[in-house]
Amino acid sequence: MNDADAWPAGLPVRADGRRTHEHLLAAARATFAEQGTDASLREVARRAGVGIATLYRHFPTREALLETLLRQGFDTLRARAAHLIASPDPGQALVTWIRELAVASARYDGLPTSVMAALHDPSSALHASCTGLRAAAGDLLACAQRSGHIRADLDADQLLAAVNAMAWATRQASWTADTGDRFLSLLIEGLEARPIDPTQVALSRRIDAVGDL
């Protein structure tokens, strides 16, 4: 095996291969932070001090590189969801997790788009990690909905789409951190269950009755 080759099941066996693997991840982390997830992979290889062929031996696709780079963060989010689901306040537990997800989703420019695309593409190397994240979101959401704290007309896909859209907005150059916090607060307010207003219900029924005439 070439020293730079990575074993499909994990890190390369040889020490120099493992060092190359870690150098590539460090270079990708820095490059994506500066240029987004669509950054040139040749630039990643250059920063790691290897050729593009070596990068592709370790990571056959951009999604494979992203998956390895994001796996620890996604695992942490899933573990947090499993911990928070036992909270006595399911609504606040979901809000806490959404805030952590929003921070993770805004880490790299272009990441929200990559995550949403991978959710609907079983062939993507990111698909398994993203569907695991969706399952964690779904469990927390269902618990919060049963408690009556969160609106019932929402599913996990819609929740992830809303958080990723907000994360995309916070990455835009014209927005400040305060604006990002404001977006997140507005999103959370929109998720909250609202008490039924009898006046509005009665008005809706009268409008329906008129329409039936």
Side-chain angles (χ1 to χ4, degrees):
M1 175 183 290
N2 184 291
D3 291 353
D5 284 344
W7 285 53
L11 289 172
V13 172
R14 293 180 55 150
D16 50 358
R18 291 196 299 272
R19 284 194 298 271
T20 298
H21 193 87
E22 292 304 320
H23 289 162
L24 282 164
L25 288 175
R29 193 174 293 114
T31 305
F32 289 167
E34 293 174 10
Q35 303 174 24
T37 57
D38 288 332
S40 166
L41 295 186
R42 289 187 179 278
E43 174 62 14
V44 173
R46 186 192 68 78
R47 292 189 182 199
V50 300
I52 190 64
T54 297
L55 182 149
Y56 281 123
R57 283 196 293 271
H58 284 260
F59 306 104
T61 65
R62 181 182 301 272
E63 289 75 18
L65 175 56
L66 269 174
E67 195 279 333
T68 304
L69 200 60
L70 300 173
R71 185 186 303 147
Q72 183 178 3
F74 281 8
D75 287 348
T76 298
L77 283 168
R78 287 195 294 271
R80 282 289 287 156
H83 172 74
L84 288 167
I85 204 164
S87 170
D89 186 343
Q92 185 56 48
L94 179 64
V95 167
T96 298
W97 191 79
I98 285 173
R99 290 187 180 278
E100 295 174 9
L101 174 62
V103 171
S105 298
R107 183 166 296 133
Y108 304 124
D109 191 23
L111 180 56
T113 301
S114 298
V115 168
M116 295 310 298
L119 271 173
H120 303 287
D121 181 7
S123 67
S124 169
L126 270 173
H127 182 72
S129 292
C130 291
T131 53
L133 204 60
R134 177 171 57 194
D139 290 343
L140 275 177
L141 176 61
C143 191
Q145 288 171 326
R146 286 194 297 270
S147 74
H149 290 89
I150 300 297
R151 57 191 301 165
D153 60 338
L154 183 72
D155 62 29
D157 278 336
Q158 293 166 341
L159 175 61
L160 289 182
V163 174
N164 276 284
M166 186 279 306
W168 174 87
T170 63
R171 291 289 305 184
Q172 306 313 298
S174 58
W175 300 124
T176 64
D178 288 342
T179 304
D181 289 341
R182 174 61 174 158
F183 282 165
L184 185 55
S185 295
L186 288 171
L187 170 62
I188 290 169
E189 288 175 14
L191 299 179
E192 294 174 354
R194 296 287 189 271
I196 296 174
D197 183 345
T199 303
Q200 292 298 320
V201 172
L203 177 59
S204 177
R205 287 175 177 171
R206 286 199 296 272
I207 292 173
D208 289 343
V210 171
D212 291 338
L213 295 178

